[in-house]
Amino acid sequence: MNAQMDNTYDAAVVGGGAAGLSAALIMGRSRLRTLVVDAGEPRNAPAAHMHGVLSRDGMSPAAYLAAGRRELAAYGVELRDGRVTGAAPDGDGFLLSLADGTRARARRLVVTTGLVDELPELDGVAERWGRDVLHCPYCHGWEVRDQPFGVIAHPTMPAHQALMVSRWSKDVTLFLHTAGELSARDAALLDAAGVEVVAGEVAGLAVEDDRLTGVRLADGRFVPRAVVFVGARRLAARDGVLRELGAELRETPFGEFVAVDETGRTSVPGVWAAGNVTGPQEQVVNAVSRGYRAGVAISNELLLEDLEARAAGRPVG
């Protein structure tokens, strides 16, 4: 009986990145018994620094999460390193199964398990990812400004990334790779931005002394570049828990993601989602905001549920 009591929570957060810790912080401060289960797989782990987060610009992602974990301890939030392998409705709550064989019950769930960037299978891309192979100029553009940029075209939006990064460098080369011909509009915009366009398939990246030096094409050409921007060929949400619970999904230009309202509420009563599991554009600062909203919504919902139960003479919690 005590073991069962010890594993019962008001709320459980699946995933301990920025969104998950933010939700847990608000729920802990709301005096909810809160559990965070973290598999330790943040999307931004390859990056040495994060940017665009007011007062924490340049901080390492690992140090940021460690600071967040320390803050949660003051509010009694329980943190477990591990992986949730299953989730199922259980009365008026949910039963979570963990990889270590333990289980936990929670009245509400917040899923913040993020996504995986499935990178193009080109020599050097995965090895340099987060260093001098980048995807987001808002995250890393300032640090590589005015260097020679290369951009490997995405098959569905070939000009988009090259146009974006042209704000940070006037020396930008777009490699069409397998994207095919550009539309007249894209060609005109690239010309206006001063972007050089190179046709032909990319074979891989050249690296010397642990430094990117350029792009190799399949026909033998070599184009010197110091930085390469490339988008993932596929963005795969880590949404297994949400799918198991039957959450509604939505199609986006970036793939399939869980449908949520402005607070992160999914189509499954009692289940919220926040961060990159809901879409690829939830950078750290956005993820923190989304986690905060979910935490507030859950706190309010549980408060009203408990007051209604008490008013009706029913057991609370």
Side-chain angles (χ1 to χ4, degrees):
M1 183 68 174
N2 289 336
Q4 178 68 27
M5 290 291 292
D6 289 344
N7 283 287
T8 299
Y9 302 85
D10 294 308
V13 181
V14 184
L21 296 184
S22 178
L25 177 65
I26 295 305
M27 293 188 294
R29 287 175 55 83
S30 300
R31 311 188 77 172
L32 298 178
R33 189 172 186 221
T34 304
L35 169 70
V36 177
V37 182
D38 183 24
E41 299 172 333
R43 182 190 184 193
N44 62 358
H49 308 282
M50 64 179 193
H51 298 283
V53 181
L54 191 64
S55 84
R56 296 296 180 267
D57 192 66
M59 190 176 191
S60 82
Y64 182 75
L65 294 181
R69 281 176 160 237
R70 289 193 297 271
E71 289 178 357
L72 295 185
Y75 304 106
V77 174
E78 182 179 339
L79 288 153
R80 292 193 205 176
D81 293 325
R83 186 181 303 279
V84 172
T85 57
D90 182 49
D92 60 351
F94 303 90
L95 189 64
L96 299 179
S97 300
L98 279 63
D100 63 4
T102 61
R103 297 195 297 176
R105 188 184 184 282
R107 298 169 66 190
R108 298 293 186 273
L109 291 184
V110 187
V111 180
T112 61
T113 39
L115 62 78
V116 177
D117 292 280
E118 295 185 0
L119 303 176
E121 294 179 353
L122 292 171
D123 183 36
V125 168
E127 294 81 359
R128 309 300 301 179
W129 185 247
R131 302 169 68 187
D132 38 28
V133 175
L134 307 169
H135 75 290
C136 174
Y138 297 101
C139 301
H140 305 291
W142 176 263
E143 284 64 42
V144 295
R145 64 194 182 279
D146 298 327
Q147 297 185 49
F149 288 0
V151 179
I152 299 175
H154 192 276
T156 60
M157 297 182 293
H160 175 71
Q161 206 166 26
L163 293 171
M164 283 195 355
V165 305
S166 67
R167 182 177 292 279
W168 284 267
S169 175
K170 298 306 179 187
D171 183 1
V172 179
T173 299
L174 173 63
F175 298 90
L176 289 181
H177 190 39
T178 58
E181 291 188 16
L182 295 167
S183 68
R185 180 177 183 273
D186 281 349
L189 291 174
L190 290 166
D191 183 62
V195 175
E196 181 181 356
V197 178
V198 174
E201 192 168 338
V202 172
L205 308 181
V207 178
E208 293 182 12
D209 298 325
D210 197 30
R211 181 176 61 87
L212 178 68
T213 58
V215 176
R216 294 183 290 103
L217 282 89
D219 61 12
R221 286 177 292 166
F222 174 79
V223 181
R225 299 285 89 185
V227 178
V228 167
F229 284 85
V230 59
R233 61 183 173 86
R234 180 172 175 266
L235 299 169
R238 292 190 177 104
D239 57 7
V241 168
L242 294 165
R243 288 177 182 268
E244 185 175 5
L245 291 170
E248 178 184 338
L249 304 175
R250 60 189 175 90
E251 285 291 340
T252 78
F254 307 100
E256 200 172 45
F257 290 91
V258 62
V260 295
D261 71 4
E262 65 276 5
T263 71
R265 189 190 307 267
T266 73
S267 62
V268 180
V271 179
W272 275 255
N276 277 147
V277 76
T278 68
Q281 296 174 316
E282 299 300 310
Q283 290 95 341
V284 171
V285 67
N286 295 330
V288 168
S289 173
R290 294 296 183 181
Y292 186 106
R293 293 184 185 189
V296 169
I298 289 171
S299 176
N300 289 339
E301 184 170 286
L302 287 178
L303 173 63
L304 291 176
E305 182 177 293
D306 289 348
L307 292 176
E308 287 170 358
R310 189 173 294 131
R314 300 192 306 269
V316 175

